[in-house]
Amino acid sequence: MEINQRPYHLVVFGASGFTGQFVAEEVAREQVASGQSSSLPWAVAGRSREKLQRVLERAALKLGRPTLSSKVGIIICDVTNPASLDEMAKQAAIVLNCVGPYRFYGEPVVKACVENGTSCIDICGEPQTPLKH
Ligand SMILES: NC(=O)c1ccc[n+]([C@@H]2O[C@H](COP(=O)([O-])OP(=O)(O)OC[C@H]3O[C@@H](n4cnc5c(N)ncnc54)[C@H](OP(=O)(O)O)[C@@H]3O)[C@@H](O)[C@H]2O)c1
């Protein structure tokens, strides 16, 4: 599908994580600040619908925007399930990947994005310790 016809401009993958919840909250804050007219469709993704819903509910409370969770998509996706990664990547123009550690979980997400023509960014903060032989 053409990039500009995909359902979501941005998908925050791993929004239920310690860092991902702040990323999701910041995206929501930006959308509130920019106003409804210029807001872009976005979604959160992860392996637990309940956790993702809780993240959106907390952000809605913090931002005083009770309708937030009804306006943000939820995609169920697991790094260990390549088909679910493809499905997520196909629905987004950009995947913002917050699922770490990236040295264990990063590559399948990049692969799915490359194969589906989706931009992929992450928040990696992992100085890798060299292996000792
Ligand atoms: N650049 C920076 O300043 C900075 C700062 C902090 C962290 N980071 C990076 O962010 C990464 C994440 O850190 P964190 O502290 O937020 O970790 P975390 O709290 O453990 O969160 C990990 C996230 O990954 C998800 N996840 C784990 N396995 C998965 C799988 N098989 N499929 C789908 N989702 C899966 C978890 O989902 P569940 O909720 O379902 O378990 C959770 O949403 C780190 O590895 C680090 O590189 C960067």
Side-chain angles (χ1 to χ4, degrees):
M1 193 188 291
E2 295 282 329
I3 281 283
N4 57 8
Q5 291 174 341
R6 296 186 181 194
Y8 302 115
H9 183 72
L10 176 72
V11 170
V12 181
F13 183 37
S16 59
F18 177 78
T19 318
Q21 67 184 315
F22 293 114
V23 173
E25 188 186 314
E26 281 311 308
V27 175
R29 196 188 310 279
E30 272 303 307
Q31 296 277 288
V32 171
S34 69
Q36 289 299 327
S37 55
S38 57
S39 68
L40 293 164
W42 67 289
V44 289
R47 53 188 174 173
S48 162
R49 180 176 296 277
E50 291 70 29
K51 283 187 184 182
L52 295 169
Q53 265 162 349
R54 276 203 298 274
V55 166
L56 292 178
E57 281 159 17
R58 272 199 303 270
L61 263 180
K62 265 189 164 177
L63 301 173
R65 198 182 159 211
T67 58
L68 178 73
S69 43
S70 66
K71 297 195 184 329
V72 181
I74 292 184
I75 298 172
I76 302 306
C77 181
D78 192 311
V79 167
T80 62
N81 179 343
S84 74
L85 290 173
D86 278 337
E87 269 311 302
M88 172 180 68
K90 279 179 192 158
Q91 295 183 65
I94 304 168
V95 168
L96 201 173
N97 183 16
C98 300
V99 175
Y102 295 95
R103 63 186 177 281
F104 300 133
Y105 303 134
E107 198 169 325
V109 183
V110 173
K111 182 172 185 284
C113 287
V114 168
E115 289 177 352
N116 291 286
T118 308
S119 296
C120 182
I121 49 181
D122 64 48
I123 55 163
C124 187
E126 295 164 24
Q128 185 147 19
T129 312
L131 293 172
K132 288 189 179 148
H133 295 285

